[in-house]
Amino acid sequence: MADAAGPAGLLAIIAGRGALPRQIAEARLAADLPYLLIVFPDCFEDWMTDHPHERHLFEKAGAVFRTLRLADATHVVFAGAMNRPRLRPWRADLKALGLLTKATRLLRQGDDGMLRGLASIFEDEGLTMIGPMDILGQDLGIGRGTYGAHSPSEQDLEDARRAAAIVRALGPHDVGQGAVVASGVCLAVEAIEGTDLMLARVAALPPDRRAAAPPPAGVLFKGPKPGQDMRMDLPTIGPATVQGTKDAGLSGIVVTAGKTLIAEPEEVRELADSHGIFVYGAVAEELETGE
């Protein structure tokens, strides 16, 4: 391993949307370590033109792995948001046709099963799967305590404990990494839509549904599901999460300390402070309900 920014060999970055793939690419560039962005449809962003990148189709797995072999890739990391693809078998190359049955089966599974299956496909090609924190370091994860100027109240922490219990209970069913609780009432659970759209649903709730906890009140909890593969789907918050929390009329965000990544950390801190939103990293003991 290199001293910083991950392994010395060429890193394939399977790049989705958002700040995380850019942070990884810039960290590799700054460390003078080789990397290549692999970008699928609907994920290309303007910043990528300044970095080595290849655009591919999901149905052209042979082309993807041929590109990685020619580049002498040794490691691969998944980073950023990506929609489940709609596979078009008639566009598949020979490699993709060989994987088609497995890929179709994976897409019918929950996120955890699908991501583990994708990891195995890349590992079968001789690549080592790593996680974003293996490149960016633990400094980009939220440690224990308050991140910014504002702190949660005891009611906020109680709401966080209830939300964490909901995520733990739903984890075996592969449902989301987040939940929103206000004054003990569950307002939303993250499903396939993701955190931002879940927060938009909370923001759109009619006042009578928030009567027991009128804004600003309530907590967004984000944390890994039990047994989650932390290489593939690390819980992440960023500026959009903070803005969504504010728009939803919540008091703040609680995450699992040491297991949640901050995208654009300075922007998160500044936006949270300006909105009066707390961001808090809680250890496991703090999230136990005592039930």
Side-chain angles (χ1 to χ4, degrees), residues 49 74 123 218 231 268 279:
T49 59
T74 59
E123 288 170 341
R231 300 170 304 169
V268 165
V279 178

Side-chain angles (χ1 to χ4, degrees), residues 98-156:
L99 294 170
L100 192 59
T101 299
K102 183 174 184 178
T104 302
R105 185 170 65 249
L106 291 176
L107 290 173
R108 291 173 179 166
Q109 296 182 20
D111 286 347
D112 287 349
M114 181 186 70
L115 291 172
R116 287 193 189 96
L118 285 175
S120 72
I121 290 172
F122 280 86
E123 288 170 341
D124 288 346
E125 295 294 323
L127 295 160
T128 300
M129 181 69 61
I130 60 176
M133 282 190 180
D134 294 320
I135 300 137
L136 299 175
Q138 296 293 325
D139 289 344
L140 279 157
I142 300 180
R144 183 178 187 178
T146 299
Y147 188 82
H150 305 286
S151 300
S153 67
E154 183 51 44
Q155 178 61 59
D156 293 326

Side-chain angles (χ1 to χ4, degrees), residues 8 10 12 15 20 32 36 42 51 65 78-79 86 88-89 94 139 141 149 173 200 211 215 224 229 244 264 270 291:
L10 188 134
L20 186 56
D32 196 26
L36 176 65
D42 301 323
H51 299 268
F65 292 123
F78 280 68
R86 293 184 177 180
R88 296 160 293 185
L94 287 176
D139 289 344
H173 304 286
D229 189 335
E264 302 176 90
E270 291 173 6
E291 295 177 355

